[in-house]
Amino acid sequence: MKKLLYLFFAVVATAACQGKKDFSPNEEPGMQRANAVSIFESKDSQKRWILNSRDVDFSDLQNAALVAPELLWKDNGKDAGKVTAERGVFNYAQRLVTLQGHVKAVSLIHGLTLETDHIYYDVDKDRVWSDKKTVVTRGGVRTVAKHGVETNSKLTQIEFKKQSTALPATVKELKGQLK
């Protein structure tokens, strides 16, 4: 956690020292904004995930408010997945990324896409989920998860939430469903 915070403040300091107007405090006291910010976490000298945002508001000491965020997941140094949205929030203490508005998650390895209005990423558990209607597309096949999905960051183990299937009780019912 301390590494992430040190890294976070190093990124903010770098943005402030670039000589451009990339970092400028808002006119209100206590407000801090930056443009073109990257927040990431490394393990064994390789980045695990990178959160890029066009604009970030750091005025809340618990959360960073993101505009046009892009979350990139890594697997053995290679890009594994990407999520884009209109806005988002990164909660430092909970290490939780929340993305909202036309959210699109793409597995760059498996050719799978998730589309929803709201998605969460738990950094510590490498868990991605949505409680909203989610459209899952793979190979031209679209499936709608009415109550959302839960998966890992590689988008390989997808669980449809509150999904139920009624199995036929008799052979006659089964034959009726096959017609």
Side-chain angles (χ1 to χ4, degrees):
M1 178 69 179
K2 288 183 181 180
K3 287 182 190 177
L4 182 63
L5 289 176
Y6 291 135
L7 183 59
F8 166 72
F9 289 116
V11 169
V12 171
T14 303
C17 297
Q18 287 181 349
K20 300 177 186 175
K21 195 174 179 181
D22 289 341
F23 181 85
S24 60
N26 195 331
E27 294 175 10
E28 296 179 39
M31 298 291 283
Q32 296 181 1
R33 295 184 184 271
N35 300 348
V37 174
S38 289
I39 302 170
F40 61 90
E41 180 178 56
S42 295
K43 183 177 182 180
D44 300 327
S45 300
Q46 291 195 14
K47 293 179 182 170
R48 290 184 50 216
W49 56 269
I50 303 168
L51 179 60
N52 297 310
S53 185
R54 186 183 73 208
D55 296 303
V56 181
D57 183 348
F58 295 108
S59 60
D60 180 350
L61 296 178
Q62 296 295 316
N63 300 296
L66 313 166
V67 176
E70 177 184 84
L71 177 61
L72 185 64
W73 293 300
K74 298 286 197 170
D75 185 26
N76 294 323
K78 297 179 182 175
D79 294 351
K82 177 173 78 170
V83 184
T84 56
E86 292 176 353
R87 62 194 174 285
V89 174
F90 177 58
N91 182 302
Y92 311 120
Q94 293 179 352
R95 296 175 42 87
L96 179 68
V97 178
T98 304
L99 301 175
Q100 299 174 323
H102 296 96
V103 179
K104 184 174 184 178
V106 178
S107 169
L108 302 173
I109 298 171
H110 302 287
L112 180 115
T113 303
L114 300 176
E115 294 176 88
T116 186
D117 286 327
H118 201 112
I119 204 164
Y120 302 93
Y121 173 54
D122 185 323
V123 171
D124 293 328
K125 295 179 182 173
D126 192 38
R127 179 178 157 230
V128 179
W129 75 97
S130 175
D131 295 328
K132 304 290 183 188
K133 175 182 162 185
T134 305
V135 177
V136 180
T137 307
R138 184 174 189 180
V141 177
R142 292 176 47 128
T143 307
V144 177
K146 189 175 179 181
H147 300 285
V149 296
E150 185 172 334
T151 183
N152 58 2
S153 64
K154 295 175 188 141
L155 305 178
T156 56
Q157 302 168 349
I158 299 175
E159 178 183 326
F160 287 63
K161 292 186 172 189
K162 298 180 186 175
Q163 190 78 8
S164 63
T165 303
L167 297 174
T170 66
V171 174
K172 183 179 178 181
E173 286 180 21
L174 177 62
K175 288 180 181 178
Q177 290 179 357
L178 294 176
K179 290 181 183 180

